[in-house]
Structure formats: structure tokens, C-alpha cells
Amino acid sequence: MSFRSISREALVGSITLGLVFVVGYILGKKKSSRMNIGKSYSTKVNPLLQYVLNNSMREHPVLKKVGMMTMDYCHNNMMVSSEQSQFMVNLAKLIKAKKAIEIGVYTGYNTLNMALALPDDGVLVACDISETYTNMAKPFWKEAGVENKIDLRLQPALKTLDDLLADGQAETFDFVFIDADKVNVDAYYEKSLLLLKKGGIIAIDNVLWSGKVLDPAPDDEDTMALDKLNKKLHKDIRINLSMLTVADGLTLAFKL
């Protein structure tokens, strides 16, 4: 059929259908991008994540205070998201964790949440190098009545982990959360694995690193370190593994 034989109405109809398809595709892509799950304290929480928060969060009153205080601080993106913290705490409860390690405390939101989950005789070794940040956390720990469970070590975390190993505490911990500098993430993992009991869990934060792990720049040491660890854990026969798209990516390593 020649172009001239097509009626004007049919031509207009075809063009209209084509435009509708293109516009629908673009709007669908935009809608899909809005449904991506991020951190709950992001400036724009998408409706799906807000639904999750509205129907799942059970936040201790003092935790809410820590979160609000941290949101007023310029580096608040360093805080773990509340939904991720609650998930990890539920895992710790599930395995009846009594001894835990947190590598990277910041203003103490997750530290407080984990301490609340531990039994009265439980202990959380909290590793950080910033007295400024941890001093912001201490009043909230005291208010919640858990300061006696938190063993704060203000020194490089690798030193603290070595100290625990030297003290004969290998294979005595139930849960480890790694959320500190990324260059040392592999060293944190290896030492934590030594300290962990069989059946214990290591949780590693930021494993997707805002998507940078898809194509790490050669001069980006943080991203390179995370990508290297992600690939290593995939083949590590010492653990069972799950990588989750929670917040900025969360890997769970279960020691065999």
C-alpha cells in the first residue's frame, strides 16, 4: 500500500497512538524510578517506603529522639536508617544474641537499638574514634537505661578487634555490624569472622554504595574496597550469604 493511499484520519490516528505510547513509556519510567527504596530519612521519601514505615516501624521513644537529633546535624546521612536498624535488631533477637560488636557508632542510633534488644547481662562492644559523636549518643543511652550494656572503645576499630582476640574472645560473639570506613572493610570482616560464633551473623552496611559498585572508578578506594569484598563474599565457603537492597545495600553473612 502506498503512502498516498492512507487516509488522513488513519495517519492522524497512527501518530496519536504512537505519541500515547511514548508518553506512557516515559511516565512509567518516571513512576518506576519513584518506587525505588532508599533510606527513610532521605529528603524525599517515596510513597512505597512511607507505606513500609507506617505499617512496620516500632521505634522506642528514645530512638526517635536520637533520630530527630541526628537529622539536625549536617552529616546525618551517616546514620543507619530506622527500618534497617529494626530489621537487624530482629535478627539479633531471633538468634538470641548476647554479645555483639558495632564497628562505627556515629550518634548511637543503632547502638541504642541493639543494646535495647540484648538481655540484661548482654554486652555491645561499640567501636568508634570520635569522642564528639559518641558524646552526643551517651545521654540517650543513659535515658534508655542501657548504658551498662555498651562497652564503648574510642580507638581504631582494628585495634579493638585485635584486643578482643588477644583477650581470648574468639568465637564468642553472636552479631557484628560493620558500618565504618570502607577502605578497611575487608579487614573488619576477617577479624569479625574470627570473633563470631558458628551460626552468628555479620551485617555489612553500604554494600551498594549508591550504585557506584556497578562501575568503580580506579581512584575511588572506598568503592573499590566494597566491590572487592562483595565479590569475595560471593565465593566465601565459610559463610552463607544474602545481599539485600535495603537502604544503601545490606549484606548478611552467616558463619558456618
Side-chain angles (χ1 to χ4, degrees):
M1 181 183 293
S2 69
F3 176 79
R4 290 181 180 179
S5 66
I6 301 175
S7 68
R8 181 178 178 182
E9 290 78 6
L11 183 61
V12 171
S14 298
I15 293 172
T16 302
L17 285 173
L19 288 173
V20 169
F21 175 80
V22 172
V23 172
Y25 175 79
I26 293 172
L27 290 176
K29 291 287 285 184
K30 288 183 177 179
K31 182 177 179 181
S32 176
S33 67
R34 289 198 299 269
M35 290 296 105
N36 289 337
I37 297 296
K39 288 189 175 183
S40 57
Y41 55 74
S42 300
T43 54
K44 293 183 180 180
V45 178
N46 70 53
L48 188 58
L49 179 51
Q50 191 61 58
Y51 180 89
V52 171
L53 300 175
N54 292 343
N55 291 282
S56 69
M57 286 307 303
R58 298 178 178 179
E59 205 171 20
H60 189 281
V62 183
L63 276 174
K64 290 183 179 180
K65 291 182 180 181
V66 178
M68 291 175 64
M69 178 269 294
T70 307
M71 286 302 96
D72 289 333
Y73 194 68
C74 61
H75 299 299
N76 57 42
N77 64 318
M78 292 169 58
M79 187 179 80
V80 66
S81 64
S82 57
E83 67 277 14
Q84 177 182 327
S85 180
Q86 180 170 289
F87 173 65
M88 294 189 297
V89 164
N90 282 333
L91 285 177
K93 289 178 180 178
L94 185 66
I95 63 172
K96 295 180 171 57
K98 186 174 180 180
K99 292 180 66 178
I101 300 171
E102 183 170 65
I103 303 172
V105 174
Y106 188 40
T107 55
Y109 182 95
N110 192 73
T111 313
L112 172 57
N113 209 5
M114 187 63 68
L116 286 166
L118 296 178
D120 291 339
D121 59 345
V123 61
L124 172 59
V125 178
C127 309
D128 210 288
I129 57 173
S130 173
E131 190 171 358
T132 299
Y133 290 149
T134 53
N135 279 344
M136 295 166 68
K138 288 177 181 179
F140 296 103
W141 298 346
K142 184 175 182 179
E143 181 181 352
V146 297
E147 59 180 342
N148 62 308
K149 300 181 189 179
I150 300 170
D151 178 8
L152 179 62
R153 309 279 184 103
L154 287 176
Q155 61 181 8
L158 291 176
K159 171 85 166 55
T160 296
L161 299 177
D162 284 336
D163 289 346
L164 293 172
L165 289 168
D167 193 39
Q169 297 195 55
E171 298 189 339
T172 65
F173 286 86
D174 305 289
F175 195 96
V176 181
F177 179 43
I178 300 175
D179 186 20
D181 62 286
K182 308 312 174 188
V183 173
N184 287 312
V185 67
D186 183 66
Y188 294 146
Y189 168 72
E190 287 295 337
K191 293 181 186 296
S192 296
L193 199 61
L194 293 174
L195 288 161
L196 203 66
K197 293 178 179 177
K198 289 183 178 180
I201 301 171
I202 298 175
I204 307 170
D205 201 16
N206 304 121
V207 294
L208 299 181
W209 207 227
S210 299
K212 293 179 183 178
V213 291
L214 291 175
D215 186 21
D219 60 345
D220 186 344
E221 293 184 352
D222 289 340
T223 306
M224 292 289 286
L226 286 166
D227 181 53
K228 184 178 180 180
L229 180 66
N230 290 341
K231 289 177 168 59
K232 169 182 171 176
L233 295 187
H234 188 211
K235 299 177 181 179
D236 194 339
I237 62 173
R238 300 171 295 176
I239 60 168
N240 281 331
L241 177 70
S242 284
M243 182 185 291
L244 308 177
T245 55
V246 175
D248 195 25
L250 177 67
T251 285
L252 301 174
F254 304 83
K255 185 174 180 178
L256 298 175

